[in-house]
Amino acid sequence: MSMSDPIADMLTRIRNAQGVSKNSVAMPSSNVKVAIAKVLKDEGYIEDFNVEQAGGKAELKIGLKYYVGRPVIERLERISRPGLRVYKGRDDLPNVMNGLGVAIVSTSKGVMTDRKARATGIGGEVLCYVA
């Protein structure tokens, strides 16, 4: 059976794994998921990630990060979804927690944070909020 929202599945797997203090979480890989994982790593929300071939299928493995026993990611929320896409122009990109968090945006130049999209001067689809 096909999955209707693989990005929401990725975010839910991360939330669930952090809820039980796992060190890593694995999921089926895709280019968008790898791009989101790269943004999370660049922003310091996860330790590391890698893509492994398991039985002919690519698997994305994400190492989770904790600080003083608590997950670094406090909030991980899907915004744009298959039933309701959310697109924002460069002037309307959201500020998550007044700049303490990031919005991950899918643009024509790739997946990036809201700050980088604003600096580049482009808008796009707001995938999720991370704080």
Side-chain angles (χ1 to χ4, degrees):
M1 176 153 193
S2 67
M3 193 180 313
S4 64
D5 193 358
I7 296 171
D9 177 65
M10 172 189 184
L11 302 179
T12 300
R13 285 179 192 231
I14 292 171
R15 271 193 307 270
N16 290 343
Q18 285 186 329
V20 294
S21 300
K22 290 219 175 212
N23 289 329
S24 66
V25 62
M27 63 201 70
S29 181
S30 73
N31 290 339
V32 175
K33 289 180 187 179
V34 169
I36 291 172
K38 183 175 179 351
V39 170
L40 290 174
K41 183 178 186 307
D42 292 345
E43 292 295 313
Y45 287 109
I46 61 173
E47 287 288 336
D48 202 7
F49 70 94
N50 63 342
V51 179
E52 301 171 353
Q53 292 293 329
K57 302 218 175 186
E59 184 177 70
L60 175 65
K61 217 171 173 182
I62 296 177
L64 302 175
K65 195 173 188 179
Y66 297 90
Y67 179 74
V68 192
R70 294 183 49 112
V72 172
I73 300 174
E74 292 179 4
R75 176 178 165 205
L76 190 58
E77 182 182 345
R78 178 80 158 120
I79 302 303
S80 185
R81 50 194 174 86
L84 179 63
R85 299 288 186 189
V86 177
Y87 297 97
K88 298 289 181 181
R90 66 175 183 219
D91 299 327
D92 299 328
L93 287 171
N95 260 340
V96 180
M97 292 178 65
N98 290 327
L100 295 176
V102 296
I104 298 179
V105 183
S106 176
T107 68
S108 58
K109 305 276 189 225
V111 177
M112 60 184 73
T113 64
D114 57 323
R115 277 178 252 140
K116 188 172 177 191
R118 249 186 244 104
T120 309
I122 52 178
E125 181 182 359
V126 181
L127 298 176
C128 61
Y129 292 159
V130 185

